[in-house]
Amino acid sequence: MTTIPPFTFHQGTQPLLVSIPHAGTHVPPALAARLSGAALQVPDTDWHLERLYAFARELGASILVATHSRYVIDLNRPPDGASLYPGQNVTGLCPVDTFEETPLYPRGDVPDEAEIAARRAAIWQPYHAQLRAELDRLRQQHGVAVLWDAHSIHSVLPRFFEGQLPDFNLGTADGASCAPALAQALLPIAEAAPGYTAVLNGRFKGGHITRHYGEPARNIHAVQLELTWRTYMDEAPPYAYLPERAAQVQPHLRHMLAAALGFARGAAA
């Protein structure tokens, strides 16, 4: 399927794991030959998040980053491809179009069940095995684990939402993926950030990773943050990272991760 490892991983020292499942841009050559020119630009990537969250290492967080494009397989979808938002327009486990609804496969040779199963075995399963193993390690070592699932998206995307998206979109699966105290610690930080907007459990409540791994009854707490591109990068191709803009939002991200760690220390006591 591919010779590129499905993820990179840094093991930290604190009870916090930052997962970045949509930062990958790699498309295996055999698949690239089937995709449209627009798809080969992988425009729906969660661009530059590994760079934006580089400070998380200083906080002692573990960091798990996908290498493959979500066009190969979407790591934040259930393995059976079930919709996370029934009745709403969504993309699947192995997408067939871009967020702009441009077909990925202009010749119509979309992946069949056997191909989807092969991609799942080669990329999806190893990422999730590492995610599960690290959360279990953190919980065993610290008595608690916090999962921060990091995402980013165009601030205007009519397919998925009307108007402009709030900048900080915190999701806790409507409160099911973490203790209320964690959400209560994070939302005020986002809301108080000057020049930004924030919401909890708005359009993006958390994908499969947040919903599946968040088990507050076992002291494993999961939160998703969907961040708008405009807070740290150019929203037009080639989607450049804007260091000065990123430097303005990073203190607020750092404050939230530090608050998550503060919550973890209290929950482990």
Side-chain angles (χ1 to χ4, degrees):
M1 173 67 203
T2 180
T3 58
I4 303 295
F7 58 82
T8 63
F9 176 66
H10 165 77
Q11 187 173 94
T13 58
Q14 298 297 316
L16 174 64
L17 170 60
V18 177
S19 161
I20 311 180
H22 290 154
T25 58
H26 179 67
V27 178
L31 175 57
R34 294 159 55 192
L35 298 184
S36 67
L40 291 175
Q41 305 305 309
V42 291
D44 302 325
T45 301
D46 290 10
W47 296 102
H48 313 296
L49 282 188
E50 187 175 9
R51 181 175 179 182
L52 186 70
Y53 278 94
F55 67 85
R57 287 195 181 208
E58 301 169 13
L59 296 177
S62 297
I63 306 173
L64 178 64
V65 185
T67 56
H68 287 64
S69 170
R70 70 191 303 159
Y71 293 163
V72 183
I73 193 164
D74 192 327
L75 300 173
N76 201 29
R77 297 291 181 272
D80 62 359
S83 176
L84 294 170
Y85 295 93
Q88 299 189 47
N89 197 329
V90 297
T91 52
L93 180 65
C94 290
V96 297
D97 59 4
T98 70
F99 287 177
E100 299 291 342
E101 300 189 271
T102 301
L104 299 183
Y105 301 88
R107 295 189 297 273
D109 52 345
V110 300
D112 59 17
E113 286 302 316
E115 183 177 0
I116 292 172
R119 296 186 196 181
R120 188 165 51 229
I123 303 164
W124 193 99
Q125 289 176 354
Y127 188 93
H128 282 266
Q130 182 65 44
L131 184 52
R132 175 83 275 164
E134 182 61 6
L135 286 175
D136 288 347
R137 184 190 74 84
L138 293 176
R139 181 179 175 274
Q140 182 177 16
Q141 180 174 339
H142 301 281
V144 60
V146 174
L147 169 62
W148 184 274
D149 207 43
H151 296 263
S152 68
I153 196 169
H154 203 295
S155 62
V156 177
L157 201 55
R159 177 177 181 177
F160 299 132
F161 51 84
E162 295 182 2
Q164 183 167 301
L165 192 69
D167 296 310
F168 297 108
N169 297 267
L170 289 161
T172 64
D174 286 325
S177 69
C178 73
L182 178 54
Q184 291 164 7
L186 297 172
L187 183 60
I189 297 171
E191 290 179 326
Y196 302 101
T197 52
V199 67
L200 174 63
N201 292 316
R203 170 61 179 87
F204 296 103
K205 302 175 186 295
H208 174 70
I209 290 173
T210 304
R211 302 181 196 198
H212 180 73
Y213 292 99
E215 300 178 272
R218 294 185 60 229
N219 228 4
I220 299 177
H221 306 268
V223 176
Q224 176 178 293
L225 178 65
E226 186 81 68
L227 185 69
T228 57
W229 286 351
R230 78 177 192 93
T231 61
Y232 71 97
M233 58 173 275
D234 191 341
E235 297 198 86
Y239 308 114
Y241 187 80
L242 302 176
E244 291 184 0
R245 190 175 298 180
Q248 294 177 337
V249 76
Q250 281 173 317
H252 307 298
L253 297 175
R254 188 180 188 115
H255 192 181
M256 282 189 275
L257 291 192
L261 278 172
F263 161 83
R265 295 185 187 107

